[in-house]
Amino acid sequence: MAVSIKSAREIALMRESCRLLEDVFSKLEKAVKPGISTKDIDRLGEKLIREHGCEPNFLHYNGYPASICVSVNDEVVHGIPHQAHILQEGDIVSLDAGLIYKGYHSDMARTFGVGEISEDARKLIAVTRQSFFEGIRMARAGNHLYDISNAIDACVTPHGYGIVRDLVGHGIGTRLHEDPQIPNFAQRKKGMLLRAGMTLAIEPMINMGRADVEWLDDDWTVVTEDGSLSAHYENTILVTDGEPEILTMSGICE
Ligand code: MF3
Ligand code: CO
């Protein structure tokens, strides 16, 4: 599959899709507190997305049963929200969400602390976020795709954390998942040449312990095999001839 280059009109629609998603996220972040159920976060997220006149793109995607992925502690990604799952002080929770605006998809994830969290957990979240910024620095026309992967790896590996290999970032546009796939770990090849007008979802998933993950019997929830904490940080970005544009980060949700 060829990688799509977005026109000026499409970029404008992607920008708006991403702006609306960031707004949803900024409200979800405020709702993350001890005592809230993961299903309540999903309900709120779906409501906020629909209030913007948009559709949740995760809902029913390959049969996924909710609008927001809510992954707690050793859950890496694709946690299914449940009414009985109540967030506790000290948990870390990864929210992953996306929406469709006039046919254009956005996708974004953040890991938040619930109340006070451990110093170790704070560092895991900070390094995961930092690795995104190291990766995106490479996301400019003329560089190669795996410059992004190598930069993320070089940021994370010195900390002794495990970089999830089974799930990767991706192109995004009129579909949630487009080519290319974007690994978060070092590659031996260079990968494709990046071009202005590519829109990409870059999303490191980082485990405090080993990189290995497994799937729960619900067929969705990905957890660390060793039970260690995991963090996720994702933005939809635009490749340009100069500085990349982070479409889901205008500043209201860092
Ligand atoms: N946000 C995920 C990604 O980044 C996709 C979630 S798939 C769903 O690629 F089915 F869980 F929604
Ligand atoms: Co994604």
Side-chain angles (χ1 to χ4, degrees), residues 58 96 107-108 168-170 172 176-177 201 203 232 234:
F58 293 8
D96 187 353
D107 188 4
M108 164 176 185
V168 295
H170 51 93
I172 180 168
L176 173 58
H177 293 136
E203 50 176 320
H232 187 195
E234 175 177 29

Side-chain angles (χ1 to χ4, degrees), residues 116-243:
E116 276 299 307
I117 61 172
S118 72
E119 191 53 47
D120 283 353
R122 244 198 305 276
K123 186 184 153 201
L124 174 71
I125 293 169
V127 170
T128 302
R129 179 176 186 278
Q130 183 60 31
S131 73
F132 165 86
F133 286 97
E134 297 299 324
I136 195 200
R137 277 200 317 138
M138 300 295 155
R140 47 169 75 210
N143 282 358
H144 289 86
L145 181 65
Y146 297 152
D147 293 334
I148 300 172
S149 310
N150 295 341
I152 293 171
D153 191 315
C155 172
V156 171
T157 297
H159 293 280
Y161 296 148
I163 302 174
V164 175
R165 303 171 82 92
D166 302 71
L167 299 136
V168 295
H170 51 93
I172 180 168
T174 53
R175 287 172 302 129
L176 173 58
H177 293 136
E178 299 186 353
D179 280 345
Q181 296 200 1
I182 312 171
N184 296 301
F185 51 96
Q187 303 291 306
R188 289 147 62 102
K189 296 187 176 170
K190 286 183 159 184
M192 72 188 319
L193 211 48
L194 296 174
R195 290 174 55 195
M198 290 180 177
T199 44
L200 307 174
I202 299 178
E203 50 176 320
M205 290 150 267
I206 309 297
N207 302 341
M208 197 178 279
R210 286 187 298 107
D212 307 76
V213 298
E214 57 191 20
W215 272 257
L216 295 186
D217 285 337
D218 64 17
D219 287 337
W220 277 104
T221 312
V222 180
V223 297
T224 59
E225 214 177 78
D226 62 8
S228 66
L229 296 180
S230 188
H232 187 195
Y233 189 88
E234 175 177 29
N235 285 303
T236 298
I237 70 136
L238 170 70
V239 177
T240 75
D241 289 314
E243 289 289 306

Side-chain angles (χ1 to χ4, degrees), residues 62-78:
N62 291 337
Y64 185 73
S67 297
I68 317 289
C69 296
V70 186
S71 308
V72 182
N73 294 335
D74 63 327
E75 296 174 353
V76 179
V77 286
H78 303 169

